[in-house]
Amino acid sequence: MKRKIAVFLFVLSAVLTILPASIFRPRFALVLSGGGAKGIAHIPVLEELDRRGIVPDIVIGTSMGAVIGSFYSSGYSGAELEELVLETDLMAYFMHLSAVRGSDTLPSPFSDYDTNLLTVEFGASGIGASNGLIDDQYINGFLRRYLSKVLEVKDFDDLPIPFRAIGTDITNNRKVVFSSGSLFDAVRASMAIPVIFAPVQLEDGSYIIDGGLEDNLPTDIARDLGADLVLAVDVNDARHIYGEHKNDMATLSGTFSQFSDYLTEPNSAANYDEADWVIVPDTTSYSSLGFGDSEVILEAGKKAVEENQEVFDELEDRLERWLWDERESYDSLPAPVIDHVVADDIIPSSFSSDLSAFEGQLMDYKTITEFERLLDEIRRHEGLKTVTYEIEDGVIYVYGERYPSLSGSIYLGLTGGIGVRYDGSDGGNPYFAYTPNFTISGRMALLERLDLEYGVVVDEGITVEAGLSYPFLSSAFLYGSAGIKYGQQAYDSVPGTEDYTFSNDVGVFMKAGIGFLPSRSFRMDAIVGYSYSYLGSDRFTEHHHSYPYLGLGFVFDAYDNTEAASNGFEGELTLEFGGDFPRSVIAYSIHGDFFGSFGPTDIFKFIVSGETATIRRAQELAAAYVSTNMGLTASDYIYLMGGVRLPLPYSIFVDAGIFFEIFGGEYDAMNPDKNLVPYSELTLDKENMDIGGYVGVGIATSFGQVTAALHISMTPRVSFMVGIE
C-alpha cells in the first residue's frame, strides 16, 4: 500500500511539473512602506486595485503602511479609506501632545497657574514622565474605533485579506513580523516612531518601535511568505532620497523627515530588487508629520497611479483568470458582543458602573467611540499615563498605567489675549488691549508626602510664590503658600481696559487651606488668607491696604476644551469675605464663570457661557474691579451669551451668538453702608448695559483653545480679542 501511495505521489508531482504554471493562481503580495503622513499616498493604489478587481493574497505594511494596510485587510475599500482621510482631522490624532501629568487634580479656584504649554518632569531615574512626545491615547482610540469589528481576530490570516505588520524590537535588536496576537498592538507598534510615540511593550517584556528602522519596504518578507508577484509602494523614493528629492531641512519637520529617511533608506533601497513592480508617489514636497496635507498627498498618489498604468495592466494580465475574487467588506462583518468588562486595580471602583454599562452592547464604531471617551475621561481625571484594553472571547480587559514616580516637575502655561477695543458711547478712540497671563510653576518632593510648590506669574505685574502641599485621605490635601507681587495693583491698571499703565505698587500675601475632590469632576477649597498692598502713587489717600479674609472655591469640569466637538460643562466660583484696613470696612468678592457645549452630533452644538462678579474692596485697588467683555471696569457685572458652534475639520470651530452684559461702577468705600448690597450698582440704562452679537473662530489644540472673538454691541462698543484659554 505504501508503495502505491509513493508511486501516486511521484506521478502527481511529475504531472504538476509538466503542466503550465498559468493554471495556478500566482500568490500576489501588496507591500506598503512607512512614511508617516506621506503614507496617505498608498490609498489611490488600493483604489486602482479595487477598480480592476485585483485582490491581494496578503498585505504587508510598515509604520503608516501598516496602518493603511490593516484597514484595507480588514475590509475597507480604497474609496472608503479616501473618504475617511478627507473627513477626519488626522492632525488632531497624530499630533496631540502628551497630556499634563496630574491633570486629575483640578486647578484650585484660588490659583493663577496654568500648565497647558509644556510639562517637564525630572528625578533620579531620568527626565520626562512620558516616553513619547505625542499623547497616544487619541490615535489609539482612532485605530480601535475603526477596527472594532476585528479586534478579537488573533490570527491575521483570518482577516478578509491576510496581513503582516513589521516592527523593531529595540530590547533584543531584531525585526518582528506580526502575524498573530493583538491586531491593535501590531499596528500601534509598527508606527511607534522613536521619541514621537511611546513604544509598545509585549507580554515577553520587549519594547517594539517603528518597523521602518529594520525594514521600511518589506518586500523580502513577501518573498519569504511565498509571494510570486510583489507590488511595492514606496512613498519615500528610497533610491533617490539623497539626490534632488532631499527634504528641506530649514524646518524641524523637514529635518525630522530627512532623519527618518536616513535611517530607513538603506534597507528600503535594497529591497527594490525583491519586488516585481515598485510605485513611487512624488511626496518630496510633504513632511512625514504633515497630516494636515491629506488632500494634496492623495493627489500625489493618484498622479503616481496614472503614471504607472502599465504596472497595473501587467499585474491584471498575470492575474486575469482570478480577477474579481470576492472578499468580505468591513461593513458586512458582524460586530462582536461585549459580554463583560473587567478593570484592573488601578482603575477606581467608582467607574465600575460606567464600564459595566457597555456589557451586552455590540462592539461597533458607536460603542467603541463612547467607550474610548470614557477611558480618556478616566485617564485625565485620575492622572494616569494611559488607559488601554484588550479583547478576548467577548471580554474587555481594561488596564491603566501610572506615570513613573519622579520627584520634581516644571510647568509652563499661557492664557489671556491681545486685541483692539473701542468705546463709542463717549466718542473714544480705539485702543490696544491685552490680558496675557504667563506662568512658570513646579513641584519638588521634599518628603514622601510633602511637596514644595513654587511659581512665577507674569500678568499685570510679576508675582513670585512658594508653598507646601500635603495630601491626606484619598482625595484631600492641605496647602499653604506665601508670595510677593510687584506692579500694577491700582485701579487704573485693570488689564483689558483703556486705563492700563504700569506702576510701582507692591504687595505681599499668604494663604492656607484645604482642597477636597469628592468626584473626578468637582473640587472644593476652603482657605484663610491675608494680603497687604502698597500703592506707589501720591494720587491715593490711602497707600496701605490690608485684607484678611476667608474664602470658599468651587470648580466643576466635565468639558474637554482640546476637542472642538466635545459636549460638556465647566464652571468656577470663588467667594471671599473679610475686611479692608486701615478703613475698617467690610470687604468681599464673588467671581463666577461657566461654559457649556451641548449637541446631538459632532457637527452642530449649542453653546452658552456667562460671567459674574460683585466686589466690595477699597476703590483704589485693581482688585476691586473686573474687566467686562467690552473692556470697561466694573465692580458689579453680569454677562450671558447663547449661541451655536459648528465644529469643522482640523479641530477648527466657528461660534455665533447673542450676548447681554450689565455692569456697575465704583464702590464708595467712604460710605460702605450705602451700597454694600451685592449687585446694587447695576442699573438698566444704555451707559451701563450692552446687547449685541458675538462671532468667534478658533482651533482646539492639546494646549487649549486659541480663539479670535468679536463682540459688537448696539451702544456702540466693539471688542476684538485673540487669545488662548
Side-chain angles (χ1 to χ4, degrees):
M1 182 66 179
K2 292 182 178 179
R3 186 171 183 178
K4 290 181 179 180
I5 293 175
V7 171
F8 173 76
L9 293 176
F10 175 78
V11 173
L12 179 62
S13 175
V15 171
L16 293 176
T17 303
I18 295 172
L19 289 174
S22 60
I23 71 169
F24 299 102
R25 187 188 197 281
R27 184 170 171 78
F28 166 45
L30 175 65
V31 176
L32 306 177
S33 76
K38 297 179 182 181
I40 295 171
H42 290 311
I43 294 176
V45 175
L46 307 182
E47 292 182 276
E48 183 66 15
L49 294 177
D50 291 343
R51 188 181 70 82
R52 294 172 179 258
I54 301 173
V55 179
D57 294 285
I58 191 169
V59 176
I60 306 169
T62 296
S63 195
M64 193 62 177
V67 176
I68 300 293
S70 67
F71 279 54
Y72 192 62
S73 293
S74 298
Y76 287 94
S77 68
E80 288 172 328
L81 289 177
E82 178 175 349
E83 182 180 4
L84 175 62
V85 165
L86 292 177
E87 293 184 354
T88 303
D89 180 8
L90 294 179
M91 186 71 77
Y93 291 105
F94 283 93
M95 300 302 293
H96 209 294
L97 298 181
S98 287
V100 175
R101 178 182 177 178
S103 56
D104 61 308
T105 303
L106 297 176
S108 167
F110 298 103
S111 173
D112 293 324
Y113 299 102
D114 300 295
T115 60
N116 56 331
L117 289 186
L118 178 66
T119 299
V120 178
E121 305 246 352
F122 54 87
S125 58
I127 298 175
S130 178
N131 46 3
L133 293 176
I134 301 301
D135 183 359
D136 60 0
Q137 189 78 24
Y138 298 91
I139 185 60
N140 292 352
F142 172 81
L143 294 174
R144 286 189 288 239
R145 279 197 296 275
Y146 285 98
L147 296 175
S148 59
K149 292 183 178 181
V150 295
L151 289 179
E152 281 200 298
V153 173
K154 298 304 178 185
D155 186 340
F156 299 169
D157 286 339
D158 293 336
L159 293 168
I161 299 177
F163 172 70
R164 299 292 185 272
I166 309 301
T168 300
D169 182 351
I170 56 173
T171 51
N172 298 296
N173 191 24
R174 65 187 178 97
K175 176 164 58 179
V176 178
V177 181
F178 290 98
S179 61
S180 61
S182 167
L183 177 63
F184 165 75
D185 283 348
V187 176
R188 175 62 182 78
S190 183
M191 56 162 282
I193 303 171
V195 181
I196 303 297
F197 287 106
V200 173
Q201 186 177 20
L202 302 182
E203 291 183 358
D204 63 3
S206 59
Y207 284 89
I208 312 299
I209 61 172
D210 195 317
L213 297 179
E214 282 285 340
D215 202 343
N216 201 47
L217 191 69
T219 54
D220 55 330
I221 302 301
R223 295 299 186 188
D224 292 344
L225 294 174
D228 301 301
L229 303 175
V230 177
L231 171 62
V233 185
D234 178 21
V235 298
N236 295 303
D237 194 4
R239 288 194 167 178
H240 299 92
I241 278 177
Y242 297 109
E244 61 182 16
H245 291 166
K246 62 180 180 295
N247 295 282
D248 179 6
M249 291 188 289
T251 64
L252 178 62
S253 59
T255 302
F256 173 81
S257 294
Q258 189 66 26
F259 179 65
S260 299
D261 292 343
Y262 172 79
L263 294 176
T264 61
E265 179 271 341
N267 60 59
S268 298
N271 283 349
Y272 270 48
D273 295 335
E274 296 286 348
D276 295 283
W277 308 276
V278 180
I279 294 177
V280 184
D282 183 4
T283 61
T284 53
S285 299
Y286 312 110
S287 165
S288 299
L289 302 178
F291 289 98
D293 295 324
S294 298
E295 187 171 352
V296 289
I297 295 175
L298 278 170
E299 290 301 318
K302 292 178 180 179
K303 183 178 180 181
V305 168
E306 293 175 1
E307 294 172 347
N308 287 274
Q309 284 297 302
E310 68 279 2
V311 170
F312 295 99
D313 291 340
E314 186 176 347
L315 178 60
E316 186 175 358
D317 289 341
R318 299 284 295 272
L319 296 172
E320 183 177 5
R321 298 186 183 183
W322 301 275
L323 298 181
W324 302 108
D325 286 354
E326 293 186 2
R327 68 181 179 107
E328 292 180 286
S329 68
Y330 186 82
D331 285 342
S332 68
L333 298 178
V337 176
I338 302 174
D339 294 326
H340 196 46
V341 180
V342 179
D344 66 8
D345 294 338
I346 293 179
I347 309 299
S349 59
S350 58
F351 291 98
S352 297
S353 60
D354 294 328
L355 292 169
S356 61
F358 288 90
E359 296 176 356
Q361 297 188 37
L362 291 177
M363 200 181 304
D364 55 16
Y365 175 88
K366 180 177 182 296
T367 300
I368 294 301
T369 297
E370 294 174 355
F371 192 70
E372 290 287 344
R373 286 176 178 171
L374 174 60
L375 297 191
D376 189 42
E377 182 182 351
I378 294 173
R379 180 186 68 121
R380 288 187 297 110
H381 288 286
E382 297 303 317
L384 299 175
K385 181 180 178 183
T386 59
V387 178
T388 187
Y389 57 94
E390 296 178 0
I391 304 173
E392 185 172 355
D393 298 329
V395 180
I396 295 182
Y397 298 90
V398 180
Y399 304 95
E401 181 183 357
R402 300 187 190 280
Y403 285 96
S405 179
L406 299 178
S407 59
S409 60
I410 296 177
Y411 308 106
L412 299 182
L414 177 64
T415 58
I418 58 175
V420 177
R421 284 174 165 159
Y422 169 75
D423 184 358
S425 64
D426 60 0
N429 296 315
Y431 62 92
F432 178 68
Y434 56 105
T435 60
N437 185 320
F438 177 73
T439 66
I440 303 174
S441 57
R443 175 190 58 83
M444 177 75 71
L446 300 179
L447 301 173
E448 182 178 357
R449 294 177 61 82
L450 184 65
D451 290 343
L452 170 65
E453 297 182 344
Y454 52 90
V456 177
V457 180
V458 180
D459 47 17
E460 70 271 22
I462 299 176
T463 303
V464 180
E465 183 178 8
L468 299 175
S469 175
Y470 180 80
F472 67 98
L473 301 177
S474 60
S475 56
F477 41 89
L478 297 170
Y479 60 88
S481 64
I484 184 170
K485 179 175 181 178
Y486 172 73
Q488 296 183 314
Q489 298 185 80
Y491 76 89
D492 58 356
S493 299
V494 179
T497 66
E498 186 172 7
D499 298 323
Y500 188 71
T501 58
F502 185 80
S503 63
N504 292 317
D505 304 337
V506 65
V508 295
F509 60 90
M510 59 189 69
K511 60 187 177 185
I514 180 172
F516 177 53
L517 284 83
S519 75
R520 58 184 181 267
S521 301
F522 184 53
R523 170 170 174 158
M524 300 186 296
D525 283 68
I527 68 170
V528 56
Y530 171 79
S531 67
Y532 165 81
S533 302
Y534 174 79
L535 307 183
S537 173
D538 293 333
R539 291 174 295 162
F540 304 118
T541 56
E542 297 288 353
H543 293 272
H544 306 272
H545 294 272
S546 296
Y547 177 51
Y549 64 94
L550 300 174
L552 287 175
F554 306 89
V555 176
F556 179 81
D557 185 1
Y559 172 70
D560 181 6
N561 69 347
T562 66
E563 297 289 337
S566 290
N567 286 331
F569 182 87
E570 62 180 357
E572 182 175 311
L573 176 67
T574 60
L575 305 95
E576 296 177 6
F577 181 82
D580 260 325
F581 298 92
R583 291 183 179 169
S584 302
V585 297
I586 294 175
Y588 67 82
S589 70
I590 301 173
H591 285 86
D593 61 76
F594 66 88
F595 176 83
S597 176
F598 312 94
T601 72
D602 287 345
I603 60 174
F604 180 82
K605 304 290 178 183
F606 292 103
I607 57 174
V608 59
S609 67
E611 182 180 355
T612 186
T614 178
I615 309 171
R616 298 296 182 264
R617 296 289 311 277
Q619 64 191 62
E620 294 91 345
L621 298 174
Y625 306 93
V626 294
S627 173
T628 73
N629 274 274
M630 304 306 289
L632 303 174
T633 57
S635 58
D636 285 342
Y637 177 53
I638 296 175
Y639 168 85
L640 293 172
M641 189 278 292
V644 296
R645 167 168 293 181
L646 301 178
L648 302 176
Y650 310 115
S651 295
I652 297 171
F653 59 88
V654 177
D655 294 343
I658 303 296
F659 76 89
F660 165 81
E661 70 175 10
I662 181 172
F663 42 91
E666 297 181 355
Y667 161 60
D668 186 359
M670 298 302 295
N671 299 285
D673 297 333
K674 183 178 178 181
N675 50 11
L676 191 60
V677 178
Y679 301 105
S680 60
E681 289 294 296
L682 297 181
T683 58
L684 292 175
D685 59 70
K686 65 178 183 179
E687 295 300 320
N688 297 89
M689 182 175 63
D690 275 312
I691 300 175
Y694 165 82
V695 177
V697 178
I699 181 170
T701 72
S702 58
F703 48 85
Q705 294 185 353
V706 181
T707 59
L710 174 66
H711 287 81
I712 301 178
S713 77
M714 295 186 297
T715 305
R717 294 187 178 98
V718 179
S719 172
F720 178 76
M721 298 290 288
V722 178
I724 178 174
E725 58 182 357

